[in-house]
Amino acid sequence: MKILKYGSSGPSVAFMQLALNRAGFGPLNTDGIFGSATRKAVTAFQSTFGLNPDGICGKLTHNALSPWYLGFVFHKISAGDTFYKLSEKYGCTVQAIKTANPQLIPENLLIGTKVVVPLPFDVVPTEIPCFSELIFSCIKGLTARYPFILRGNIGKSVMGKPIPCLYIGNGDNKVLYNASHHANEWITSLVLLKFAEDLCKAYADGNLIFGQNPADIMKYSTICLIPVVNPDGIDLVTGELTGGEYFNRAVQISKDYPRFPFPNGWSANISGTDLNLQYPAGWEQAKINKYKKGIISPAPSEFVGNSPLSAPESRAMYDFTLKFSPFLTLSYHSQGEVIYWRYLNYEPPDAERIAKIFSTISGYSYENTPFFAGYAGYKDWFIESFNRPGYTVEVGRGVNPLPISDFPDIYEKNLGILTLGAVLL
């Protein structure tokens, strides 16, 4: 995390403000502006935790705040500790502690044993903008609370950031959900992370999710979630990346294409390649289409790259998909409240039936992809290569990036798609 101080701004400040609120040092507006109220809260937090009360959130302060970033603490068992006493101390449920520590026997807790104790709030924040470090923190928090989630990385971005994946369930029906191919569609990353948390929480608590038994879902399916394909790009759009070589190069690229507002109009990876125009399914036609629009070099949006899979992020998605070989894919984007289900004349078995169900439960229309957007996308390549159902789900309406205030409505409309996507085949 960055060093944050008075005058700092951006999504990392908003995340810090949220952590301070969670820790009881608010209320602060999570507006991403480090003003006097935020400095006062940081100073109070530092004093309470024995840190130098300088009002600057550096490494030590970030480390002290980590439980409120991640959503859990490590507690070392002392004489007399029980799960019930820990639940009273930290404000969580006994069941939450049991879920996070399946290897422990509550009646036989050994002194000195380290216990993961969830804190009494959801891990995934849905009221502040998304950026890569927030996503990585959410993944760490979720896998600590729900150790039955498996995690990995499918590759790295241009800037070397990991492209993480999560596996939930161990059934034979493999499905793959991905988000944020496009930088200014970062709200979709939160959709996938929130779904992961809600599914796992329902499973742990013995509740239903969208009318389905999560235990049955996880027995029947393996759900692979790739919450962010383009971590560098979302950091640029949300203001987390504000300087350095890659930022300066993006500024120059943007000057070459002033039709795209900077940074909000940026959907490409940090090198100016549109990741969802990188797949070997009509790539040459996509190149013709975009060149006709004047997009002939690295650009904030719609540049197809120098060749298919030339961007490390799209190459990672391609290689991983071949290895995982899912039976269904959902690719989340953010514009239009529409579900695209075909590629050219390819109509995989069950694809239209499932599209109709998704349409009914979400209120989104299901349509054919428009010609000028209908080539070289991940969904296009998946359908052409596997002849299995693949969908592009366009959430929300307006101008990208959609405001975070749209999240509740978007999530409500997509919970059914995400849930039933794992069981309809």
Side-chain angles (χ1 to χ4, degrees):
M1 294 282 284
K2 294 179 177 179
I3 295 174
L4 305 175
K5 57 186 178 181
Y6 186 82
S8 297
S9 62
S12 55
V13 174
F15 196 23
M16 180 196 66
Q17 291 167 330
L18 177 63
L20 288 165
N21 285 343
R22 288 170 167 178
F25 290 84
L28 297 171
N29 291 327
T30 53
D31 56 9
I33 300 172
F34 198 130
S36 57
T38 299
R39 181 169 58 186
K40 182 178 179 181
V42 170
T43 302
F45 176 86
Q46 291 169 325
S47 296
T48 300
F49 285 86
L51 301 170
N52 177 27
D54 59 4
I56 299 172
C57 192
K59 181 178 179 180
L60 294 179
T61 303
H62 280 307
N63 287 343
L65 274 171
S66 64
W68 295 279
Y69 288 133
L70 303 174
F72 71 93
V73 298
F74 287 117
H75 177 94
K76 188 176 290 187
I77 293 295
S78 300
D81 278 344
T82 65
F83 279 4
Y84 176 78
K85 288 183 179 179
L86 293 182
S87 72
E88 290 283 294
K89 178 177 180 178
Y90 292 102
C92 65
T93 66
V94 170
Q95 182 57 50
I97 301 174
K98 289 181 177 179
T99 299
N101 301 276
Q103 77 284 5
L104 298 182
I105 301 172
E107 297 78 21
N108 187 28
L109 297 177
L110 301 179
I111 293 175
T113 299
K114 187 182 291 186
V115 179
V116 174
V117 183
L119 296 177
F121 51 82
D122 287 346
V123 171
V124 180
T126 59
E127 66 271 52
I128 61 174
C130 188
F131 63 109
S132 62
E133 190 63 39
L134 181 149
I135 292 171
F136 304 149
S137 293
C138 287
I139 290 171
K140 187 174 182 179
L142 290 175
T143 52
R145 286 193 182 199
Y146 306 106
F148 51 83
I149 301 176
L150 301 180
R151 63 179 291 186
N153 296 316
I154 70 167
K156 292 184 178 180
S157 69
V158 171
M159 294 179 65
K161 295 185 179 74
I163 302 172
C165 62
L166 300 175
Y167 302 91
I168 303 174
N170 55 13
D172 293 332
N173 182 52
K174 295 184 290 184
V175 298
L176 191 157
Y177 303 164
N178 67 82
S180 292
H181 265 82
H182 288 149
N184 57 1
E185 298 174 358
W186 53 259
I187 200 168
T188 60
S189 293
L190 295 178
V191 171
L192 292 196
L193 290 170
K194 179 63 174 171
F195 170 69
E197 181 161 28
D198 286 353
L199 176 63
C200 293
K201 186 176 181 180
Y203 172 79
D205 294 343
N207 295 326
L208 300 180
I209 183 167
F210 202 77
Q212 303 293 310
N213 185 334
D216 292 340
I217 295 174
M218 293 163 64
K219 183 178 181 180
Y220 179 71
S221 295
T222 298
I223 303 171
C224 178
L225 303 170
I226 301 175
V228 56
V229 179
N230 188 0
D232 305 339
I234 68 170
D235 285 352
L236 178 69
V237 171
T238 59
E240 183 63 10
L241 179 65
T242 57
E245 174 187 355
Y246 290 105
F247 175 83
N248 293 336
R249 172 62 175 149
V251 170
Q252 186 57 52
I253 289 171
S254 186
K255 289 179 180 178
D256 293 338
Y257 290 93
R259 75 184 80 170
F260 299 105
F262 185 82
N264 285 354
W266 192 280
S267 65
N269 75 352
I270 198 65
S271 296
T273 297
D274 192 315
L275 298 179
N276 206 42
L277 290 170
Q278 271 275 284
Y279 295 93
W283 181 85
E284 289 291 345
Q285 183 62 57
K287 181 178 179 180
I288 291 170
N289 293 346
K290 302 308 178 184
Y291 272 44
K292 285 181 178 179
K293 295 180 66 176
I295 312 295
I296 61 174
S297 61
S301 182
E302 300 187 73
F303 177 59
V304 299
N306 295 320
S307 61
L309 306 176
S310 57
E313 299 92 345
S314 52
R315 167 60 74 173
M317 282 292 299
Y318 173 89
D319 289 343
F320 178 80
T321 304
L322 290 176
K323 181 179 178 181
F324 186 62
S325 189
F327 300 129
L328 176 148
T329 64
L330 297 177
S331 298
Y332 266 87
H333 292 261
S334 68
Q335 207 52 250
E337 296 194 339
V338 61
I339 301 163
Y340 297 118
W341 68 282
R342 292 177 64 184
Y343 172 60
L344 300 180
N345 293 321
Y346 292 91
E347 295 187 17
D350 290 314
E352 186 172 17
R353 174 183 67 85
I354 294 171
K356 289 179 179 178
I357 294 171
F358 287 167
S359 176
T360 298
I361 61 180
S362 65
Y364 292 1
S365 60
Y366 75 98
E367 301 175 7
N368 295 331
T369 309
F371 174 77
F372 280 99
Y375 295 91
Y378 176 82
K379 178 265 296 175
D380 307 328
W381 166 74
F382 178 77
I383 291 174
E384 182 182 69
S385 298
F386 289 86
N387 195 34
R388 297 170 183 171
Y391 304 92
T392 295
V393 183
E394 297 276 3
V395 307
R397 294 180 184 274
V399 177
N400 287 329
L402 297 175
I404 193 64
S405 58
D406 286 1
F407 182 87
D409 179 69
I410 289 171
Y411 186 69
E412 180 182 2
K413 290 176 177 177
N414 283 276
L415 179 59
I417 294 176
L418 292 161
T419 304
L420 297 186
V423 298
L424 286 177
L425 284 176

